[in-house]
C-alpha cells in the first residue's frame, strides 16, 4: 500500500521541531492561512522568542503575501504532544547528523501515519536520517531560505520518498506563500544552497586573506548585483555557527576546500559573535536586528 496523504488538512496543525532562526520563521509561514502551528523546543527561552516573533511578523507577512486570515503559533514543551494530529512536521534542529537521526526516529513513531516528515537541514540529504524510520516513504528534505523575505524552497527525496508525497508538497506549499523547486537527483546543498555556499566561501576567503573587509565586500555585492544585503550581512542573519556547521560538512565531503573561510568563522564564533541572534557578528546589531556598525573596521 502506498503512503497515505493528508489531503484533508482542515483542523489539523503543522508542527515545527526547533524554534531557532529558521524554525520560528517556518512556523510563522504555516500560520499564514489560519489554523494552528505548534512549535517544540527544549529551551523555554527559544519557545517564547518564537511565539513573540510570529505574533510580530504574521500581520505584515499575511498582508504582503496576500494570504490570510492569520492563524496562531503555539509553543509546546513536549514533542509527542506537538506532533499529535499534525498533517506536516518540519524539523529545524541544529545541523548535527546524529541529532537529526534521533529526532526522525522519534517523529516517525509519534506523528500520525499520514503526516509528512520534512527536514530543513541546509546540507544533509534526508537519506542520512532514515535509519530509525519505519516509514521513509513520507520523509523528504524541504529546505527553506529566509522566509518571509526569501521564499524559494528546495524539495528533495530521501531516496525512498513516495513520488505522490513530493507532488503533494509541490502542490500545497504555494498556498502558504512558498515556492518549491524539486532537486532532481541527490545533491549535498540541493540547488541554490550550493551556489550560495560558493559565494559565502569566496567572500570569507577574500576577507581571511586580508584582501578586503566585510563592509566593502557587501557594498560591492549590493552595487553589482542589486541585492538588498551583501554576503556578510546574510551570513549574520543565518548565524555564523550554522554557516560553520554547513561549511564543515562540505569540507568533510571535499577535503580540497580552503581552510581560510572556516578559520575566519571560528575567530568570530570564539568571541561569541554568532550574528544577529547574539547581537553581533560581522556587524553589531541594534535590538531590531539592523546593522549598527561593522566590527573590526
Ligand atoms: N539559519 C539559517 O539561515 C538556515 C537556513 C536554512 C536551513 N537552516 C537549517 O535549519 C536548521 C536549524 O537552523 P537554525 O539556524 O534555526 O538553528 P538555531 O541554532 O537558530 O536553532 C536551533 C534550535 O533547535 C533547538 N533544539 C536543539 N535540540 C533540539 C531538539 N532535540 N528538539 C527540538 N529543538 C531542539 C535549539 O534549542 C534551538 O532553538 C539547521 O539544520 C540549519 O542547517 C538554517
Amino acid at each position: 500500500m502506498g503512503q497515505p496523504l493528508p489531503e484533508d488538512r482542515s483542523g489539523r496543525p503543522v508542527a515545527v521541531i526547533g524554534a531557532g532562526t529558521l524554525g520560528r520563521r517556518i512556523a510563522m509561514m504555516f500560520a499564514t492561512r489560519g489554523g494552528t502551528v505548534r512549535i517544540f523546543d527544549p529551551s523555554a527561552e527559544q519557545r517564547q522568542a518564537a511565539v513573540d516573533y510570529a505574533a510580530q511578523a504574521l500581520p505584515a507577512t499575511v498582508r504582503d503575501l496576500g494570504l490570510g486570515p492569520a492563524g496562531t503559533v503555539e509553543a509546546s514543551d513536549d514533542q509527542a504532544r506537538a506532533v499529535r494530529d499534525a498533517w506536516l512536521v518540519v524539523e529545524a534542529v541544529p545541523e548535527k547528523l546524529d541529532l537529526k537521526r534521533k529526532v526522525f526516529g522519534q517523529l516517525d513513531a509519534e506523528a500520525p501515519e499520514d503526516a509528512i516528515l520534512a527536514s530543513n537541514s541546509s546540507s544533509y540529504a534526508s537519506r542520512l536520517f532514515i535509519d530509525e524510520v519505519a516509514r521513509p516513504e513520507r520523509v523528504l528534505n524541504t529546505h527553506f531560505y529566509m522566509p518571509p523575505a526569501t521564499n524559494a524552497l528546495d524539495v528533495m527525496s530521501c531516496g525512498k520518498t513516495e513520488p505522490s508525497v513530493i507532488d503533494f508538497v509541490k502542490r500545497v506549499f504555494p498556498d502558504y506563500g512558498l515556492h518549491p523547486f524539486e532537486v532532481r537527483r541527490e545533491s549535498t546543498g540541493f540547488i541554490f544552497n550550493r551556489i550560495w555556499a560558493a559565494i559565502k566561501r569566496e567572500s570569507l576567503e577574500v576577507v581571511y586573506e586580508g584582501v578586503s573587509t566585510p563592509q566593502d565586500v557587501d557594498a560591492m555585492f549590493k552595487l553589482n548585483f542589486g541585492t538588498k544585503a551583501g554576503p556578510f550581512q546574510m551570513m549574520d542573519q543565518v548565524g555564523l555557527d550554522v554557516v560553520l556547521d554547513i561549511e564543515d560538512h562540505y569540507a568533510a565531503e571535499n577535503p580540497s576546500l580552503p581552510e581560510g573561510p572556516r578559520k575566519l568563522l571560528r575567530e568570530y564564533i570564539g568571541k561569541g559573535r554568532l550574528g544577529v541572534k547574539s547581537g553581533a557578528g560581522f556587524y553589531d546589531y541594534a535590538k531590531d536586528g539592523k546593522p549598527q556598525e561593522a566590527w573590526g573596521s
Side-chain angles (χ1 to χ4, degrees):
M1 199 192 79
Q3 171 62 29
L5 292 172
E7 287 291 356
D8 185 6
R9 290 171 278 144
S10 52
R12 295 181 67 180
V14 170
V16 178
I17 310 302
T21 306
L22 256 282
R24 66 189 64 170
R25 288 165 181 272
I26 294 168
M28 192 274 294
M29 291 305 286
F30 283 106
T32 53
R33 296 305 292 258
T36 303
V37 179
R38 298 194 200 119
I39 189 159
F40 164 72
D41 197 294
S43 155
E45 203 182 322
Q46 290 290 75
R47 290 196 298 271
Q48 188 56 48
V51 169
D52 292 347
Y53 167 78
Q56 170 257 313
L58 249 177
T61 304
V62 163
R63 187 193 61 223
D64 295 350
L65 298 180
L67 303 172
T72 50
V73 174
E74 291 173 1
S76 172
D77 61 1
D78 183 282
Q79 183 174 283
R81 268 208 312 275
V83 305
R84 189 173 300 155
D85 300 329
W87 67 268
L88 169 72
V89 182
V90 185
E91 166 276 315
V93 305
E95 189 75 341
K96 309 280 181 211
L97 191 52
D98 287 348
L99 176 62
K100 307 243 184 217
R101 249 186 214 127
K102 190 183 93 188
V103 167
F104 270 86
Q106 293 167 346
L107 294 176
D108 186 50
E110 294 164 351
E113 71 167 29
D114 64 346
I116 293 171
L117 306 184
S119 172
N120 185 48
S121 172
S122 299
S123 60
Y124 288 112
S126 47
R127 172 179 59 80
L128 302 169
F129 335 133
I130 54 178
D131 321 37
E132 296 173 28
V133 170
R135 207 185 278 272
E137 298 80 6
R138 43 125 154 221
V139 174
L140 78 171
N141 290 91
T142 56
H143 173 253
F144 295 71
Y145 285 82
M146 196 54 78
T150 319
N151 292 325
L153 195 85
D154 299 294
V155 177
M156 189 171 89
S157 168
C158 73
K160 296 189 172 163
T161 319
E162 186 95 4
S164 61
V165 170
I166 297 194
D167 290 345
F168 183 83
V169 165
K170 284 164 66 182
R171 174 161 53 87
V172 167
F173 277 31
D175 291 352
Y176 302 88
L178 301 164
H179 301 273
F181 291 85
E182 186 173 349
V183 185
R184 289 154 197 264
R185 49 175 292 199
E186 189 179 296
S187 159
T188 301
F190 319 111
I191 306 169
F192 198 78
N193 230 24
R194 278 175 61 170
I195 298 162
W196 168 225
I199 295 169
K200 282 183 292 187
R201 188 174 302 131
E202 203 57 22
S203 302
L204 290 161
E205 183 66 21
V206 156
V207 170
Y208 176 73
E209 290 176 12
V211 173
S212 187
T213 62
Q215 307 87 280
D216 281 1
V217 171
D218 281 350
M220 287 182 82
F221 200 90
K222 287 189 272 187
L223 283 166
N224 285 350
F225 283 168
T227 55
K228 286 194 194 130
F232 289 92
Q233 290 169 314
M234 293 189 219
M235 285 188 266
D236 268 359
Q237 182 94 47
V238 168
L240 303 189
D241 52 340
V242 176
V243 174
L244 179 62
D245 282 342
I246 295 165
E247 186 61 9
D248 276 341
H249 177 208
Y250 284 117
E253 284 200 0
N254 179 2
S256 68
L257 290 179
E259 281 186 38
R262 281 166 283 150
K263 285 187 179 161
L264 187 68
L265 288 167
R266 279 192 210 104
E267 203 181 291
Y268 279 77
I269 293 165
K271 294 185 164 111
R273 301 182 73 100
L274 305 184
V276 175
K277 64 184 168 188
S278 73
F282 293 111
Y283 295 85
D284 286 323
Y285 294 89
K287 277 215 160 65
D288 63 4
K290 299 248 167 59
Q292 283 187 310
E293 60 181 280
W295 184 61
S297 58

